[in-house]
């Protein structure tokens, strides 16, 4: 009888304890209840195992001792749960107050984060963009020494912000493991054992701080993007996103005289840059902004006709003022409403229209015709070579560039869109449903500049340990050959024509250097109360220079910037001039 | 020659205590070394002096006990020394962090704690070596009762208020916490009272309608104790002491009567009383809500608990290492929450070791009680052991979220003069009770 009761109590206690231990940390009351139910059962089981003692003070004392011992067993079980089974979960848990939204987390992590000596971020020449200073004994604060020379807002989208409360963005986020020193588990173990502060790795970027600042200035106060690549390697030389944010605004200084005021300052800046109408400064437009590319996309259509001359017949083309596509749809028209063919036939000298001339003068009706000749499959196939995806093939993030969050570029959005002739024609000259990132257009230009070989863009040149040794170094890596060398050569000639005598003359701003380029004006409806039919335009420009042996490929995209041949070309020209000034 | 042989035999009969003491000193020395290594790496003379004096003091007591050869228990002294040593190390470790985070009030606590421990050891030696008779405790029972009542009264009138509770008596050089004193007086008085009335078991049962009531000599103190503890909660707002006193009382009542029913009814009545106070008294409500769901108000009532849970979890199973954690993020880390501070820096290994230490202390104490020569000494030993074990359990379980948190000190380890002195005096009493070969005139 005793053994049966003992067995039952032990099993029930074990079942209760297992049930309790399986409860997650937010159900701790269940665990405590299960534990308190199990302890009397344990007491019963243990008491039945005791040798029998005659009644009296001794026996009563024995029972009391057993009760106290069972209490300590309960304490040990509680400690086992708090310090072993769910230790990591409790230490890392962040509790959010459902009413106020205020969060509670382990204060040690916040303090530890304030003490990590994050590595610096340098530009390609070693100019320090971000570094860590030690203040107030052992607290680390993120400093931006470059702010003395340049506007730090120009670098916000690339290096990102670092905040104990709001997290990180940009390179601070992508390379957090390296910058915080977390990646190197052996060194972390040494630091932990010797109680040394953790020191992170230094990240050296491919951008040139001077070009980045110049490009940022060239865009003025306009919203938009600039990407400058070295076409030979894929290195990103500049990547501007406007409006930007100042990472200093979110950098907490633990040595501030009034920490609450410091937190308030950061709160206010965070609210300001996330406010409605602030223009989303935290969005990195060059990689996360997708737009209709306008006529710059004619570059892709032109490559498609050259790759498939039998279907595309690149040099048997005309440029009528209107080209009907399918019944019921409005015909394709040119930006210059009438007489564009006349200009094409006469400039720079009288000749029949060919690919180079319709490209240089951005003739919509000609490129609509090319697209119709090629058909949806050949056009999509060429676009895919440039990593411009059909929606069903598109990955969630573009894996050709992983240093910053990047969206894939899309040839169209609605399923089966290109099967309609009008849609196919529109896509051919850069309207339709195209959704392309400025980075992708820069890559299109860079591929042509690099003899048809598309290089993988990269932003991080190398990562260096605190002791000076290299963790990792990036170099040129090809994605694929998009077109043969001769076709790339023809495309460079066509790009040069656009600047030499076509609609991109404004980009010819570098003395002694032949610039090639293509403008784009991407129209989109922007109805206002007065004018529901109003149409606005994004200004685009892609450029390469020097045309015979390109060293720079640039894409400029200005939201609501009007005609690409004016503002876009001007800005691209300025960026190229700064780039060449820099090399000299 | 014969004398030397006898001395050698006496020393040889007490080697367990010596071995355990040396083990404890080694552990404390390693803790101190780790602390010095992580803090600055500079060894200070004062540290070496203190730890040598600490070891010397306890070794002297042990040797003196061996030479006197009364055959005292050999476990309680080393455990008390180990726990006090850990407390000494923790005060030394927490002082700079406390000063940095909460201000100059805390400077000097490490040295003060050393003085309390040394004072406690001296008190233990006095209780043990000064010739006096344990029967005095029984004879002067009403003196103890009056002294206890006087202490409560004096605290209520002249007490110093701290953290909203009036628990301290200012003696100029020293702030006495009468509750600690009261604890011992209560145990002594209950031991004499219950010993006098133990013959009444089973006699004089009263009937209240269908309810069978215990005999009046039991019923009356149950009701009085219940009223006194509830009064303590209301007047002094001292939940921890109230719970501890009531547990001590019920445990001793059980030891004398063997009726689990009395203890169960008593606990139920206490819970009922606390439940009745719940809507009336804010501090009861706060403690209970903070236990039920500390996350509901992590910046208010749950603040300490949330911080404590984070500290314990950060420690994990081996801890951050002594000096490498941040235990002062939990308020009162040197007194009520010292167990959490140890949990953070020594991990589950450290907290389990402490739990085992207290459990061993308790089991040994009850063994002393079982072996004691008369009912009074049995009850006294059981009461003293319960006082220390229950106090350790209440605060350790409170800070680990097992029961509602009530603020009392962790015996031997927490910073505090009154509690350290009284706990060592209690160990002295236990040692005296456990002496199996004491001469009859000291009974």
């Amino acid at each position: 009888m005793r053994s049966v009761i003992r067995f039952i109590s032990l099993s029930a206690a074990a079942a209760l304890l297992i049930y309790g231990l399986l409860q997650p940390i937010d159900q701790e009351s269940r665990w405590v209840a299960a534990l308190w139910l199990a302890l009397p059962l344990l007491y019963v089981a243990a008491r039945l195992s005791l040798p029998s003692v005659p009644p009296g003070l001794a026996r009563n004392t024995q029972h009391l001792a057993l009760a106290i011992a069972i209490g300590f067993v309960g304490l040990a079980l509680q400690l086992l749960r708090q310090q072993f089974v769910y230790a990591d979960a409790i230490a890392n848990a962040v509790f959010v107050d459902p009413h106020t939204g205020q969060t509670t987390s382990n204060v040690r992590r916040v303090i530890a984060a304030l003490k990590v000596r994050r590595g610096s971020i340098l530009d390609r020449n070693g100019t320090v963009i971000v570094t860590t200073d030690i203040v107030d004994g052992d607290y680390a604060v993120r400093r931006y020494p470059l702010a003395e020379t340049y506007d730090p807002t120009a670098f916000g989208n690339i290096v990102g912000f670092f905040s104990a409360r709001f997290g990180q963005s940009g390179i601070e986020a992508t390379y957090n493991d390296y910058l915080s020193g977390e990646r190197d588990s052996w060194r972390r173990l040494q630091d932990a054992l010797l109680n040394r502060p953790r020191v992170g790795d230094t990240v050296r970027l491919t951008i040139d701080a001077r070009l980045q600042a110049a490009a940022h200035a060239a865009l003025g106060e306009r919203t938009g993007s600039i990407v400058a690549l070295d076409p030979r390697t894929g290195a990103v030389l500049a990547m501007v996103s406007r409006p930007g944010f100042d990472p200093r605004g979110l950098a907490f200084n633990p040595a501030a005289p009034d920490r609450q005021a410091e937190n308030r300052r950061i709160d206010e800046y965070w609210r300001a840059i996330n406010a409605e109408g602030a223009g989303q400064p935290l969005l990195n437009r060059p990689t996360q902004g997708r737009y209709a590319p306008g006529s710059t996309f004619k570059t892709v259509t032109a490559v498609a006709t050259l790759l498939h001359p039998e279907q595309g017949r690149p040099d048997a083309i005309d440029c009528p003022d209107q080209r009907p596509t399918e019944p019921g749809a409005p015909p394709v028209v040119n930006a210059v409403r009438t007489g564009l063919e006349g200009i094409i036939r006469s400039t720079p000298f009288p000749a029949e229209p060919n690919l180079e001339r319709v490209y240089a003068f951005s003739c919509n009706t000609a490129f609509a015709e090319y697209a119709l000749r090629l058909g949806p499959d050949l056009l999509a196939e060429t676009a895919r070579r440039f990593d411009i995806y059909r929606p069903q093939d598109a990955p969630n993030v573009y894996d050709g560039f992983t240093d910053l969050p990047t969206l894939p570029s899309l040839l169209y959005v609605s399923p089966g869109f290109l099967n309609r002739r009008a849609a196919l024609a529109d896509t051919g000259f850069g309207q339709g449903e195209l959704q392309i990132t400025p980075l992708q257009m820069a890559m299109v230009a860079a591929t042509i500049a690099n003899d048809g070989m598309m290089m993988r863009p990269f932003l991080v040149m190398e990562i260096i340990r605190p002791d000076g040794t290299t963790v990792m170094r990036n170099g040129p890596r090809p994605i694929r050959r998009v077109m043969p060398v001769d076709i790339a050569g023809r495309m460079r000639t066509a790009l040069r024509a656009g600047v030499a005598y076509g609609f991109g003359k404004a980009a010819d701003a570098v003395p002694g250097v032949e610039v090639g380029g293509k403008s784009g004006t991407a129209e989109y409806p922007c109805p206002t109360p007065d004018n529901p039919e109003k149409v606005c335009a994004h200004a685009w420009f892609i450029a390469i220079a020097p045309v015979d042996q390109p060293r720079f490929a640039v894409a400029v995209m200005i939201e609501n910037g009007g005609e690409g041949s004016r503002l876009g070309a001007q800005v691209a020209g300025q960026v190229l001039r700064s780039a060449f000034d820099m090399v000299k | 020659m014969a004398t030397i042989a006898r001395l050698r035999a006496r020393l040889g009969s007490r080697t367990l205590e010596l071995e355990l003491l040396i083990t404890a000193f080694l552990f404390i020395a390693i803790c101190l070394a780790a602390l010095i290594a992580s803090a600055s790496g500079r060894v200070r003379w004062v540290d070496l002096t203190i730890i040598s004096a600490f070891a010397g003091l306890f070794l002297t007591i042990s040797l003196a006990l061996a030479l006197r050869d009364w055959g005292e228990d050999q476990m309680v002294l080393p455990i008390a020394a180990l726990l006090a040593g850990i407390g000494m190390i923790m005060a030394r470790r927490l002082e700079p962090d406390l000063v940095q985070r909460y201000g100059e009030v805390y400077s000097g606590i490490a040295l003060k704690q050393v003085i309390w421990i040394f004072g406690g050891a001296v008190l233990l030696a006095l209780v043990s070596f000064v010739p006096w008779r344990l029967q005095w405790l029984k004879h002067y029972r009403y003196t103890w009762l009056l002294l206890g009542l006087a202490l409560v009264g004096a605290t209520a009138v002249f007490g110093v208020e701290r953290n909203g509770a009036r628990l301290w008596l200012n003696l100029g050089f020293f702030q006495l916490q009468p509750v600690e004193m009261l604890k011992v007086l209560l145990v002594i008085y209950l031991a004499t009272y219950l010993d006098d009335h133990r013959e009444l078991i089973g006699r004089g049962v009263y009937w209240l309608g269908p309810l069978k009531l215990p005999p009046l000599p039991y019923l009356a103190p149950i009701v009085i104790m219940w009223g006194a503890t509830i009064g303590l909660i209301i007047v002094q707002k001292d939940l921890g002491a109230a719970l501890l006193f009531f547990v001590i009382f019920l445990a001793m009542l059980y030891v004398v009567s063997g009726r689990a029913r009395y203890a169960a009814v008593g606990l139920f009545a206490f819970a009922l009383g606390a439940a009745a106070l719940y809507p009336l008294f804010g501090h009861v409500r706060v403690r209970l809500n903070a236990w039920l769901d500390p996350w509901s108000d992590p910046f208010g009532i749950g603040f300490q608990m949330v911080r404590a849970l984070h500290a314990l979890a950060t420690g994990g199973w081996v801890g951050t290492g002594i000096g490498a954690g941040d235990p002062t993020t939990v308020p009162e880390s040197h007194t009520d929450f010292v167990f959490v501070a140890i949990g953070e820096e020594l991990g589950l290994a450290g907290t389990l070791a402490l739990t085992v230490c207290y459990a061993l202390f308790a089991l040994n104490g009850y063994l002393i009680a079982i072996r004691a020569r008369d009912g009074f000494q049995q009850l006294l030993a059981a009461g003293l052991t319960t006082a220390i074990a229950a106090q350790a359990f209440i605060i350790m379980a409170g800070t680990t979220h097992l029961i509602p948190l009530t603020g009392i000190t962790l015996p031997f380890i927490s910073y505090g003069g009154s509690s350290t002195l009284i706990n060592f005096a209690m160990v002295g009493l236990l040692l005296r009770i456990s002496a199996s070969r004491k001469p009859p005139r000291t009974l």
Side-chain angles (χ1 to χ4, degrees), chain A residues 8-34:
Chain A
I8 291 174
S9 342
L10 268 182
S11 321
L16 277 168
L17 289 175
I18 290 169
Y19 164 81
L21 276 178
L22 290 177
Q23 298 305 310
I25 54 170
D26 48 352
Q27 296 291 350
E28 194 171 284
S29 44
R30 285 193 200 161
W31 151 253
V32 174

mmCIF file of all heavy atoms in Angstrom, chain A residues 8-34:
data_model
loop_
_atom_site.group_PDB
_atom_site.id
_atom_site.type_symbol
_atom_site.label_atom_id
_atom_site.label_comp_id
_atom_site.label_asym_id
_atom_site.label_seq_id
_atom_site.Cartn_x
_atom_site.Cartn_y
_atom_site.Cartn_z
ATOM 1 N N ILE A 8 2.425 6.562 -6.910
ATOM 2 C CA ILE A 8 1.436 7.480 -7.508
ATOM 3 C C ILE A 8 1.862 8.936 -7.249
ATOM 4 O O ILE A 8 1.858 9.765 -8.169
ATOM 5 C CB ILE A 8 0.033 7.208 -6.944
ATOM 6 C CG1 ILE A 8 -0.448 5.841 -7.461
ATOM 7 C CG2 ILE A 8 -0.946 8.288 -7.368
ATOM 8 C CD1 ILE A 8 -1.759 5.403 -6.864
ATOM 9 N N SER A 9 2.261 9.241 -5.996
ATOM 10 C CA SER A 9 2.627 10.641 -5.711
ATOM 11 C C SER A 9 3.850 11.059 -6.515
ATOM 12 O O SER A 9 3.894 12.165 -7.058
ATOM 13 C CB SER A 9 2.929 10.866 -4.236
ATOM 14 O OG SER A 9 2.425 9.861 -3.464
ATOM 15 N N LEU A 10 4.829 10.152 -6.600
ATOM 16 C CA LEU A 10 6.031 10.504 -7.360
ATOM 17 C C LEU A 10 5.693 10.755 -8.826
ATOM 18 O O LEU A 10 6.152 11.731 -9.429
ATOM 19 C CB LEU A 10 7.063 9.385 -7.254
ATOM 20 C CG LEU A 10 8.083 9.513 -6.129
ATOM 21 C CD1 LEU A 10 9.064 8.356 -6.175
ATOM 22 C CD2 LEU A 10 8.829 10.832 -6.250
ATOM 23 N N SER A 11 4.867 9.853 -9.413
ATOM 24 C CA SER A 11 4.527 10.028 -10.827
ATOM 25 C C SER A 11 3.760 11.320 -11.028
ATOM 26 O O SER A 11 4.020 12.077 -11.978
ATOM 27 C CB SER A 11 3.667 8.866 -11.321
ATOM 28 O OG SER A 11 4.112 7.669 -10.781
ATOM 29 N N ALA A 12 2.802 11.586 -10.126
ATOM 30 C CA ALA A 12 2.011 12.810 -10.283
ATOM 31 C C ALA A 12 2.924 14.032 -10.164
ATOM 32 O O ALA A 12 2.809 14.989 -10.953
ATOM 33 C CB ALA A 12 0.911 12.855 -9.221
ATOM 34 N N ALA A 13 3.847 13.996 -9.191
ATOM 35 C CA ALA A 13 4.759 15.134 -9.028
ATOM 36 C C ALA A 13 5.618 15.307 -10.272
ATOM 37 O O ALA A 13 5.795 16.427 -10.770
ATOM 38 C CB ALA A 13 5.639 14.925 -7.798
ATOM 39 N N ALA A 14 6.139 14.187 -10.794
ATOM 40 C CA ALA A 14 6.980 14.282 -11.995
ATOM 41 C C ALA A 14 6.186 14.843 -13.159
ATOM 42 O O ALA A 14 6.670 15.711 -13.906
ATOM 43 C CB ALA A 14 7.538 12.908 -12.332
ATOM 44 N N ALA A 15 4.936 14.358 -13.318
ATOM 45 C CA ALA A 15 4.108 14.849 -14.427
ATOM 46 C C ALA A 15 3.865 16.349 -14.285
ATOM 47 O O ALA A 15 3.995 17.112 -15.251
ATOM 48 C CB ALA A 15 2.782 14.092 -14.449
ATOM 49 N N LEU A 16 3.555 16.791 -13.059
ATOM 50 C CA LEU A 16 3.318 18.218 -12.832
ATOM 51 C C LEU A 16 4.568 19.032 -13.152
ATOM 52 O O LEU A 16 4.499 20.090 -13.794
ATOM 53 C CB LEU A 16 2.916 18.444 -11.376
ATOM 54 C CG LEU A 16 1.450 18.217 -11.042
ATOM 55 C CD1 LEU A 16 1.259 18.196 -9.541
ATOM 56 C CD2 LEU A 16 0.601 19.318 -11.665
ATOM 57 N N LEU A 17 5.727 18.528 -12.702
ATOM 58 C CA LEU A 17 6.963 19.278 -12.919
ATOM 59 C C LEU A 17 7.294 19.356 -14.410
ATOM 60 O O LEU A 17 7.711 20.405 -14.909
ATOM 61 C CB LEU A 17 8.110 18.627 -12.149
ATOM 62 C CG LEU A 17 8.028 18.796 -10.632
ATOM 63 C CD1 LEU A 17 9.134 18.027 -9.952
ATOM 64 C CD2 LEU A 17 8.111 20.278 -10.274
ATOM 65 N N ILE A 18 7.088 18.255 -15.122
ATOM 66 C CA ILE A 18 7.391 18.281 -16.564
ATOM 67 C C ILE A 18 6.439 19.248 -17.267
ATOM 68 O O ILE A 18 6.855 20.068 -18.091
ATOM 69 C CB ILE A 18 7.290 16.862 -17.152
ATOM 70 C CG1 ILE A 18 8.459 16.022 -16.614
ATOM 71 C CG2 ILE A 18 7.306 16.890 -18.665
ATOM 72 C CD1 ILE A 18 8.342 14.557 -16.901
ATOM 73 N N TYR A 19 5.153 19.158 -16.885
ATOM 74 C CA TYR A 19 4.183 20.088 -17.464
ATOM 75 C C TYR A 19 4.621 21.527 -17.199
ATOM 76 O O TYR A 19 4.628 22.381 -18.095
ATOM 77 C CB TYR A 19 2.798 19.834 -16.876
ATOM 78 C CG TYR A 19 1.817 20.949 -17.101
ATOM 79 C CD1 TYR A 19 1.154 21.074 -18.319
ATOM 80 C CD2 TYR A 19 1.568 21.909 -16.116
ATOM 81 C CE1 TYR A 19 0.270 22.103 -18.530
ATOM 82 C CE2 TYR A 19 0.692 22.945 -16.324
ATOM 83 C CZ TYR A 19 0.039 23.042 -17.540
ATOM 84 O OH TYR A 19 -0.822 24.073 -17.769
ATOM 85 N N GLY A 20 5.027 21.798 -15.956
ATOM 86 C CA GLY A 20 5.425 23.157 -15.592
ATOM 87 C C GLY A 20 6.665 23.619 -16.335
ATOM 88 O O GLY A 20 6.735 24.747 -16.820
ATOM 89 N N LEU A 21 7.631 22.712 -16.461
ATOM 90 C CA LEU A 21 8.874 23.109 -17.132
ATOM 91 C C LEU A 21 8.648 23.381 -18.614
ATOM 92 O O LEU A 21 9.413 24.103 -19.242
ATOM 93 C CB LEU A 21 9.938 22.026 -16.955
ATOM 94 C CG LEU A 21 10.723 22.087 -15.653
ATOM 95 C CD1 LEU A 21 11.698 20.952 -15.559
ATOM 96 C CD2 LEU A 21 11.461 23.420 -15.527
ATOM 97 N N LEU A 22 7.595 22.787 -19.174
ATOM 98 C CA LEU A 22 7.336 23.027 -20.603
ATOM 99 C C LEU A 22 6.648 24.362 -20.841
ATOM 100 O O LEU A 22 6.528 24.798 -21.985
ATOM 101 C CB LEU A 22 6.467 21.894 -21.171
ATOM 102 C CG LEU A 22 7.187 20.552 -21.286
ATOM 103 C CD1 LEU A 22 6.232 19.477 -21.773
ATOM 104 C CD2 LEU A 22 8.365 20.660 -22.231
ATOM 105 N N GLN A 23 6.172 25.006 -19.765
ATOM 106 C CA GLN A 23 5.472 26.280 -19.960
ATOM 107 C C GLN A 23 6.471 27.364 -20.363
ATOM 108 O O GLN A 23 7.517 27.488 -19.747
ATOM 109 C CB GLN A 23 4.760 26.695 -18.669
ATOM 110 C CG GLN A 23 3.696 25.728 -18.226
ATOM 111 C CD GLN A 23 2.669 25.452 -19.286
ATOM 112 O OE1 GLN A 23 2.119 26.365 -19.887
ATOM 113 N NE2 GLN A 23 2.437 24.182 -19.565
ATOM 114 N N PRO A 24 6.132 28.149 -21.394
ATOM 115 C CA PRO A 24 7.050 29.230 -21.790
ATOM 116 C C PRO A 24 7.114 30.314 -20.711
ATOM 117 O O PRO A 24 6.304 30.314 -19.777
ATOM 118 C CB PRO A 24 6.424 29.770 -23.073
ATOM 119 C CG PRO A 24 4.992 29.405 -22.979
ATOM 120 C CD PRO A 24 4.939 28.103 -22.220
ATOM 121 N N ILE A 25 8.074 31.229 -20.868
ATOM 122 C CA ILE A 25 8.331 32.169 -19.779
ATOM 123 C C ILE A 25 7.184 33.133 -19.530
ATOM 124 O O ILE A 25 7.065 33.663 -18.435
ATOM 125 C CB ILE A 25 9.632 32.961 -20.011
ATOM 126 C CG1 ILE A 25 9.607 33.648 -21.368
ATOM 127 C CG2 ILE A 25 10.831 32.070 -19.873
ATOM 128 C CD1 ILE A 25 10.756 34.612 -21.529
ATOM 129 N N ASP A 26 6.324 33.354 -20.528
ATOM 130 C CA ASP A 26 5.220 34.273 -20.242
ATOM 131 C C ASP A 26 4.069 33.546 -19.534
ATOM 132 O O ASP A 26 3.060 34.160 -19.229
ATOM 133 C CB ASP A 26 4.742 34.983 -21.516
ATOM 134 C CG ASP A 26 4.534 34.029 -22.654
ATOM 135 O OD1 ASP A 26 4.912 32.852 -22.494
ATOM 136 O OD2 ASP A 26 4.010 34.432 -23.691
ATOM 137 N N GLN A 27 4.215 32.250 -19.291
ATOM 138 C CA GLN A 27 3.208 31.510 -18.530
ATOM 139 C C GLN A 27 3.809 31.042 -17.224
ATOM 140 O O GLN A 27 3.575 29.920 -16.781
ATOM 141 C CB GLN A 27 2.731 30.293 -19.340
ATOM 142 C CG GLN A 27 2.014 30.635 -20.612
ATOM 143 C CD GLN A 27 0.672 31.262 -20.353
ATOM 144 O OE1 GLN A 27 0.200 31.284 -19.229
ATOM 145 N NE2 GLN A 27 0.060 31.793 -21.386
ATOM 146 N N GLU A 28 4.613 31.920 -16.592
ATOM 147 C CA GLU A 28 5.341 31.438 -15.438
ATOM 148 C C GLU A 28 4.420 31.087 -14.280
ATOM 149 O O GLU A 28 4.735 30.192 -13.488
ATOM 150 C CB GLU A 28 6.365 32.479 -14.976
ATOM 151 C CG GLU A 28 7.325 31.822 -14.019
ATOM 152 C CD GLU A 28 8.485 32.700 -13.670
ATOM 153 O OE1 GLU A 28 9.361 32.809 -14.519
ATOM 154 O OE2 GLU A 28 8.501 33.248 -12.569
ATOM 155 N N SER A 29 3.257 31.744 -14.194
ATOM 156 C CA SER A 29 2.371 31.442 -13.070
ATOM 157 C C SER A 29 1.934 29.975 -13.121
ATOM 158 O O SER A 29 1.747 29.347 -12.084
ATOM 159 C CB SER A 29 1.166 32.378 -13.091
ATOM 160 O OG SER A 29 0.670 32.501 -14.389
ATOM 161 N N ARG A 30 1.786 29.423 -14.333
ATOM 162 C CA ARG A 30 1.429 28.003 -14.436
ATOM 163 C C ARG A 30 2.525 27.126 -13.853
ATOM 164 O O ARG A 30 2.249 26.143 -13.182
ATOM 165 C CB ARG A 30 1.242 27.615 -15.906
ATOM 166 C CG ARG A 30 -0.044 28.107 -16.481
ATOM 167 C CD ARG A 30 -0.275 27.406 -17.802
ATOM 168 N NE ARG A 30 -1.205 28.141 -18.620
ATOM 169 C CZ ARG A 30 -1.318 27.968 -19.916
ATOM 170 N NH1 ARG A 30 -0.541 27.113 -20.542
ATOM 171 N NH2 ARG A 30 -2.199 28.652 -20.601
ATOM 172 N N TRP A 31 3.763 27.510 -14.149
ATOM 173 C CA TRP A 31 4.882 26.735 -13.620
ATOM 174 C C TRP A 31 4.906 26.802 -12.096
ATOM 175 O O TRP A 31 5.035 25.779 -11.429
ATOM 176 C CB TRP A 31 6.194 27.257 -14.208
ATOM 177 C CG TRP A 31 7.382 27.075 -13.318
ATOM 178 C CD1 TRP A 31 8.037 28.040 -12.624
ATOM 179 C CD2 TRP A 31 8.053 25.851 -12.997
ATOM 180 N NE1 TRP A 31 9.061 27.504 -11.902
ATOM 181 C CE2 TRP A 31 9.097 26.152 -12.111
ATOM 182 C CE3 TRP A 31 7.865 24.516 -13.371
ATOM 183 C CZ2 TRP A 31 9.962 25.200 -11.590
ATOM 184 C CZ3 TRP A 31 8.726 23.559 -12.851
ATOM 185 C CH2 TRP A 31 9.761 23.899 -11.981
ATOM 186 N N VAL A 32 4.726 28.010 -11.547
ATOM 187 C CA VAL A 32 4.774 28.145 -10.093
ATOM 188 C C VAL A 32 3.646 27.336 -9.466
ATOM 189 O O VAL A 32 3.842 26.637 -8.458
ATOM 190 C CB VAL A 32 4.695 29.633 -9.700
ATOM 191 C CG1 VAL A 32 4.602 29.774 -8.196
ATOM 192 C CG2 VAL A 32 5.908 30.382 -10.211
ATOM 193 N N ALA A 33 2.464 27.388 -10.082
ATOM 194 C CA ALA A 33 1.337 26.610 -9.547
ATOM 195 C C ALA A 33 1.645 25.114 -9.592
ATOM 196 O O ALA A 33 1.414 24.384 -8.610
ATOM 197 C CB ALA A 33 0.079 26.919 -10.342
ATOM 198 N N ALA A 34 2.183 24.643 -10.723
ATOM 199 C CA ALA A 34 2.505 23.223 -10.849
ATOM 200 C C ALA A 34 3.539 22.823 -9.808
ATOM 201 O O ALA A 34 3.433 21.755 -9.182
ATOM 202 C CB ALA A 34 3.027 22.933 -12.258
#
